Amino acid sequence: MTTLDPETLADRVRDGELRLHELEEYADADIATEARRLLLTAETGADLETVGTYGFPAEEADSAIENMIGAAQIPMGVVGPVTIDGGAASGEHYLPLATTEGALLASVNRGLSTIDSAGGATVRVTKSGMTRAPVFRVDGVAEAFETVEWVKANVDVLTEAAESTTSHGELLGVEPYIVGDSVYLRFAYDTKDAMGMNMATIATGAACEVVETETPADLVALSGNLCSDKKPAAINAVEGRGRSVTADVVIPGELVENRLHTTPKAIAEANTRKNLIGSAKAGSLGFNAHAANVVAAAFLATGQDEAQVVEGANTITTMDAREREDGVDDLYASVSLASLEVGTVGGGTKLPTQREALDILGLRGGGDPAGSNADALAEVIAVGALAGELSLLAALASRHLASAHEELGR
Amino acid sequence: MTTLDPETLADRVRDGELRLHELEEYADADIATEARRLLLTAETGADLETVGTYGFPAEEADSAIENMIGAAQIPMGVVGPVTIDGGAASGEHYLPLATTEGALLASVNRGLSTIDSAGGATVRVTKSGMTRAPVFRVDGVAEAFETVEWVKANVDVLTEAAESTTSHGELLGVEPYIVGDSVYLRFAYDTKDAMGMNMATIATGAACEVVETETPADLVALSGNLCSDKKPAAINAVEGRGRSVTADVVIPGELVENRLHTTPKAIAEANTRKNLIGSAKAGSLGFNAHAANVVAAAFLATGQDEAQVVEGANTITTMDAREREDGVDDLYASVSLASLEVGTVGGGTKLPTQREALDILGLRGGGDPAGSNADALAEVIAVGALAGELSLLAALASRHLASAHEELGR
Amino acid sequence: MTTLDPETLADRVRDGELRLHELEEYADADIATEARRLLLTAETGADLETVGTYGFPAEEADSAIENMIGAAQIPMGVVGPVTIDGGAASGEHYLPLATTEGALLASVNRGLSTIDSAGGATVRVTKSGMTRAPVFRVDGVAEAFETVEWVKANVDVLTEAAESTTSHGELLGVEPYIVGDSVYLRFAYDTKDAMGMNMATIATGAACEVVETETPADLVALSGNLCSDKKPAAINAVEGRGRSVTADVVIPGELVENRLHTTPKAIAEANTRKNLIGSAKAGSLGFNAHAANVVAAAFLATGQDEAQVVEGANTITTMDAREREDGVDDLYASVSLASLEVGTVGGGTKLPTQREALDILGLRGGGDPAGSNADALAEVIAVGALAGELSLLAALASRHLASAHEELGR
Amino acid sequence: MTTLDPETLADRVRDGELRLHELEEYADADIATEARRLLLTAETGADLETVGTYGFPAEEADSAIENMIGAAQIPMGVVGPVTIDGGAASGEHYLPLATTEGALLASVNRGLSTIDSAGGATVRVTKSGMTRAPVFRVDGVAEAFETVEWVKANVDVLTEAAESTTSHGELLGVEPYIVGDSVYLRFAYDTKDAMGMNMATIATGAACEVVETETPADLVALSGNLCSDKKPAAINAVEGRGRSVTADVVIPGELVENRLHTTPKAIAEANTRKNLIGSAKAGSLGFNAHAANVVAAAFLATGQDEAQVVEGANTITTMDAREREDGVDDLYASVSLASLEVGTVGGGTKLPTQREALDILGLRGGGDPAGSNADALAEVIAVGALAGELSLLAALASRHLASAHEELGR
């Protein structure tokens, strides 16, 4: 291969001799990336200098992007440390967050600091499983019924086919759904420390071949939206996807007053009227204040799939005043994230800044036992979300949301 | 102010003399950022070199982050150009996307290329308004009724109060909702080229003061979740938030076969069984394949709020075979994003790589007329989502989803 | 017309000379009804004596049923009286209920009696409007946009067309929604004392003709499911359909203990964990215990459309302990029914037992002013639902649900 | 017991010596019923003659109602017969329907007649299980996790406790859900020919006692709304409750044109734009035209719980044109009711007119094998719903909905 320089590559694209995505065939990844910037600058006038100052060899991103021109730089900060009593995470943890929303880290940090002063948060992954649900065409309900009966009786056969494609993943179960002449099979997998979407897709593809061979069903689409990936769907909010994780804390009333400048009852009232009743009236699947903020910022920092923030928003926040024997109210606060999809291996976690962020957490790569790193990551993010809820609810209860944004925000 | 060096700052935090968020008081932003990295490296063993190689002065991010340690670098690429017939956008546009999901840009680009060959996409912003919905406490339904009657009769008074806080924003309307002794008022604003969340919050805060003065209602929380921000809520899917935008295209049957290697009928069937019926069975508010992928990647590239990807997923995709007079089927494809929240001024759009990405689009800063840049950005993203839907549905219809991921993915 | 006897008619149907629905052409309604019973008895062995002992001339039901064979007899009871402070209803009201669910009336009556002892309930219709939403086909988003712009600019023209079909109804507004090449127009009407579904359908039909004439849009279906009639839909739960009505009461703590054998805090806790958090986790549009029970039973008694019980279930129940100055907790309880569709004229309200039930309420026929009878009916039903919620929550809080059913139930 | 006459009883109630619900202690059920009518007539002026002409001894209704005053008479008609190929139902069936909605039976009958001409409908119960989901209070997530682990490991113990309360019911499984300090356990039962709500409640009550004894969890409410009974909830639409049943038919194109006066493509288009896309945009859990109409009318006729019409509306209707080899399009039509709750024993099925209606179906009482009668009832109702969908969609497609109502309706 003759390596061409960026200017020549850009010219050839402009002349129609090459297409944008073919440049890596004629130069290394960094040159190709530079060529695209040159082309875009010429065509749009955009100065792309900062986009071009990424801190790693472009070829390290070749499984993450095509038509690369550089990198978006999202400010990253850190909150914590906070003490965590988790099923997988334990002890003190910092949490790196990348965001462009001013005041977010300050808010989460205030919450974490309060939680830490209260002795830390408790958190558990209560359910786990990455899903993929293909849709099949059948002739009608009689064939649908027959197909589903076969599936129920042959889970072992499907398991063998599915697991033949993966060294780590395990098929946890298959749930069938019939709608007219469509059959949906929701496969759930233990994908260990990987978020697992691709593993689940590939394994399900192998299982589908068996279904097609053994039943009258024809595959229409490897994803039939009962998975459901990157869409706001009740099936995820109810049954979970990825990790279902709950975090909670009891904050002594004195701390609530001194640190959050309000009372447990005022926070509980704000939570009930806003997060429970307000969300109910809104027809929502998210009964929280801004869990997505923490999920999104943690996902960006640690290389998770940013579009899966959608499922991360399927979160219920509860806040209650608990009267102690001495008559003082403490605050019980919890968040339950139904469908948090995270991994510590594969995908964006392999990228340089993302690896480093996982190192801050001590959770890069596969855990021991397998799956424990991803469990722990889910737990830390949940505690971060709990802190964000606490802090925002307290701010609302004490009415300084707008002014906080005025000071710190855009 | 005596400027301290990073090592000293890190030591003082470790010794408990300073707190993490106070460092900017003793050094400039870059030094403070370096000090935090030193501290984290010492405490966690993490090497944060790449996180520290951000390409701009740290103080440029001071309204975007606290406790800054550097930047997450998300690979950015570009797709297009594609011809767009929009209400605000027109002509050829490139779309920058930042993601860690391999194969995404290749897929979107395939879709855009097909759309472009079909003559380009048509797109319109069909509704617009950023909302904020405070919740008030009243004594009961009689007071609730009284409060709402006052609000309905005094929209002009509320408008004056709200608009006194902003030079750009306009109050479009106030929608009241009563649930027991809670009253929710959903304020909607034209926020021009800003995404507008803060503008709406501040303006609503001013209006709330009037409501509290003139009615028996007491403000409980400036956001009562009928807004609804960063939660998957039907109110946004039905009534919209930010921009409601629809994009469509008719693709000649010949193109579908030659470029997408399938047929209009096969794509339409996959769309119906997956995006319509599958989503219906899943209890979903998102009737699409992966609109969130394009929304998330465009949001990251252009400095939008990454947690608002949640609302961007409230998208309905339709695909139909349209028989031509010569008997050949063409493909009609559309996406309707109910609640796409974007801006070209303020927030993350001011950051360096994000500004540059907006320059690729030619949409940085305020538009002329005001609001037209944000409208155009919404339109281009919608066309990107349309391309993503087209390409994925075609891939599913021709069954190479899993293998595409196997080749290109993680 | 020669009148035939029942046996002859039945024979002719059996011989294939007549069809079941044609019998009224050869005999009066009672004879035709008897003939069908004879036929069914002969063919299925069913003894239909009780079905045949309806208490009115069959022809009085001719606009309510076809292929009549008699009547279902649903046991009817009465609860109350209860004092109501409503927007339309006032003073003492009995509420007739028809049901087959043992223990329901006892439960509602216990609630009403408690409410009455607390001084009665307050209730208001807070929003009103019967909707019908046709769907139109357009060529694409450009035409959709054009159509919607025309509609917005010509509401007066549509109003004239719609109102030309009705002497009572008034068009309140038209809300447009665009999804790809489909345009939905949600027309809302004040239908006064009629439930108004037919009035709204006919008026909308006339408006649609204008839309088709003046815009490129073609009508596909007079109902496009954004109405949304007899389906569980967020649009109704959020925006209302028919009457939105809220009822509440404050019950002194002493009454809660003496009559409901529990405490305000215990009831509030049960409500929060069950009706708010439980419903949230269930992905529900109904945040209540059993509002549908009272709605269904009142609908059956008073001749409402029994399938619209679906929308009646879009109800949010709230319960809170309110601390008095003397330290005793009172109970605040409310129900907010978003979409209660009722009328006192037309439809089933004209039937004999249903008329009599409306007379018990003093709400038969048109009100003065028009609409006030239907408003009052909505208010009384809401108070009944409040009583049912109170009683069941209290029973759950004091744990005798199962035993109540064991004693009184099936 | 001295039996008092109606007038004396009414006087004593008026004088405050007796309460409305105590009359059966002083007279037989019919006298007590008459006394209440006398009282209501005196107090409200209502003539209750028809309400008083019920066709059975009042004491037969004593487990169905309290404070009885008579019966609501709902006109009952019959549709069919239609040929059914079901899992439990087979051969020809008439379907009795009770309603006050004019044109409904005519519409359903037209659909059934078309289905019958096409050879009949195919239908299967694809899932079955009556659920009850109590909510427990725990101290926090650690206890919640512990409780759920115990439950998963001791399903056999819970089964023994639950099944000790019933001679028929079988516990199918227990699904746990955690939200903060609340634990929900969704118990599912095979309740054979009973709808099974009470059986499930009582059995679950026994299981809860075990949970409370063996774990730290305290029962808050025997129903925690994850059941979910009589509320529009995604959990039922996704996972089913009672019977999940799908019915379908292929109608030759010729029949569609001759009998329904439209084309398969026109019906399919109306279904897609209305039932799929329109419902999607409405945030609906019901993707159908009016399944609730048939469910409600069949429920009233056969003594089902009228408030459970809510769950019956969780129905998805699909319609597609299927091209035959000769180029003619046939119509494929299906309905899938996710949560149809029916029984043929117990509850309202024991009442006289309701028993007779079940006799028309040949499905009164327990089936052989147990459960087969309720399965068959679900199947026949589903075919009725299919007919209703077909007929209404065809009417919309040929645009005579409004005029049909004008002719036949209110």
Side-chain angles (χ1 to χ4, degrees), chain B residues 79-84 89-95 112 360-363 376 380:
Chain B
V79 291
V82 64
T83 302
I84 296 181
S90 72
E92 294 217 321
H93 282 272
Y94 285 98
L95 174 61
L112 285 178
I360 294 174
L361 286 154
L363 297 174
V380 179

Side-chain angles (χ1 to χ4, degrees), chain A residues 149-163:
Chain A
E149 291 300 299
W150 185 89
V151 167
K152 285 185 198 167
N154 290 278
V155 173
D156 55 338
V157 180
L158 296 176
T159 301
E160 192 183 334
E163 296 186 355

Side-chain angles (χ1 to χ4, degrees), chain C residues 81-130:
Chain C
V82 64
T83 302
I84 297 181
D85 163 13
S90 73
E92 296 217 321
H93 282 273
Y94 285 97
L95 174 59
L97 297 173
T99 185
T100 64
E101 177 163 354
L104 178 61
L105 274 83
S107 173
V108 175
N109 213 29
R110 184 173 77 136
L112 285 178
S113 159
T114 307
I115 290 170
D116 204 53
S117 298
T122 306
V123 57
R124 295 287 184 280
V125 172
T126 60
K127 196 172 178 183
S128 191
M130 177 46 62

Side-chain angles (χ1 to χ4, degrees), chain C residues 101 184 230 273 347 410, chain D residues 69 101 184 230 273 347 410:
Chain C
E101 177 163 354
Y184 302 81
K230 303 175 183 177
R273 292 189 196 258
R410 286 160 268 187
Chain D
I69 61 170
E101 177 164 354
Y184 302 82
K230 303 175 184 177
R273 293 190 195 255
R410 286 160 267 184

Side-chain angles (χ1 to χ4, degrees), chain B residues 191-230:
Chain B
T191 58
K192 311 298 179 190
D193 288 302
M195 181 271 278
M197 206 50 263
N198 283 335
M199 189 190 296
T201 301
I202 293 164
T204 301
C208 287
E209 288 181 23
V210 179
V211 173
E212 286 195 290
T213 304
E214 300 293 334
T215 76
D218 289 314
L219 184 68
V220 172
L222 200 36
S223 160
N225 275 21
L226 275 144
C227 316
S228 177
D229 196 44
K230 303 174 184 178

Side-chain angles (χ1 to χ4, degrees), chain A residues 19-20 39-40 43-44 46-51 53-56 61 63-78 80 94 97-106 109 113 135 137 177 179 181-182 184 195 198 201-202 212 219-226 229-235 269-270 273-275 277-279 281-286 288-289 292-293 296 300 304-307 309-310 313-314 346-348 351-354 356 359-360 396 399 402 405-406 408-410, chain B residues 19-20 39-40 43-44 46-51 53-56 61 63-78 80 94 97-106 109 113 135 137 177 179 181-182 184 195 198 201-202 212 219-226 229-235 269-270 273-275 277-279 281-286 288-289 292-293 296 300 304-307 309-310 313-314 346-348 351-354 356 359-360 396 399 402 405-406 408-410:
Chain A
R19 295 170 68 187
L20 264 182
L39 180 82
L40 286 173
E43 302 225 341
T44 69
D47 173 354
L48 298 174
E49 188 187 335
T50 321
V51 167
T53 59
Y54 49 92
F56 53 90
S63 68
I65 196 114
E66 300 84 46
N67 284 0
M68 182 168 168
I69 60 170
Q73 298 193 9
I74 318 284
M76 192 192 296
V78 70
Y94 286 98
L97 297 173
T99 186
T100 63
E101 176 162 354
L104 178 61
L105 274 84
N109 212 30
S113 160
V135 53
R137 176 200 314 111
Y177 301 89
V179 184
D181 61 351
S182 294
Y184 302 82
M195 180 272 278
N198 283 335
T201 301
I202 293 164
E212 286 195 290
L219 184 67
V220 172
L222 200 36
S223 160
N225 276 20
L226 275 144
D229 195 43
K230 303 176 184 177
K231 270 87 65 181
I235 199 169
E269 180 187 0
R273 292 190 195 256
K274 169 188 171 63
N275 286 346
I277 300 174
S279 286
K281 183 63 185 170
S284 189
L285 295 170
N288 63 82
N293 265 336
L300 285 185
Q304 310 303 314
D305 190 326
E306 57 264 28
V309 171
V310 174
N314 292 335
L351 292 166
T353 59
Q354 289 80 343
E356 292 175 7
D359 277 336
I360 294 175
L396 286 168
R399 294 215 191 175
H405 269 287
E406 272 179 295
L408 289 157
R410 285 159 268 185
Chain B
R19 298 169 67 188
L20 263 183
L39 180 82
L40 287 173
E43 302 223 342
T44 69
D47 173 353
L48 299 174
E49 189 188 334
T50 321
V51 166
T53 59
Y54 49 92
F56 51 89
S63 67
I65 196 116
E66 298 84 47
N67 286 358
M68 182 167 170
I69 60 171
Q73 298 193 10
I74 317 284
M76 193 192 297
V78 70
Y94 285 98
L97 298 173
T99 185
T100 64
E101 176 163 356
L104 178 61
L105 274 83
N109 213 29
S113 159
V135 54
R137 177 203 310 113
Y177 300 90
V179 184
D181 61 351
S182 294
Y184 302 82
M195 181 271 278
N198 283 335
T201 301
I202 293 164
E212 286 195 290
L219 184 68
V220 172
L222 200 36
S223 160
N225 275 21
L226 275 144
D229 196 44
K230 303 174 184 178
K231 270 87 64 182
I235 198 169
E269 180 187 1
R273 292 190 196 254
K274 169 189 172 62
N275 286 345
I277 300 174
S279 286
K281 183 63 185 169
S284 189
L285 295 169
N288 61 83
N293 265 337
L300 285 184
Q304 310 304 314
D305 190 326
E306 56 265 29
V309 171
V310 174
N314 293 335
L351 291 166
T353 59
Q354 290 79 344
E356 292 175 7
D359 278 335
I360 294 174
L396 287 167
R399 292 213 193 180
H405 270 288
E406 271 179 296
L408 290 158
R410 283 159 269 186

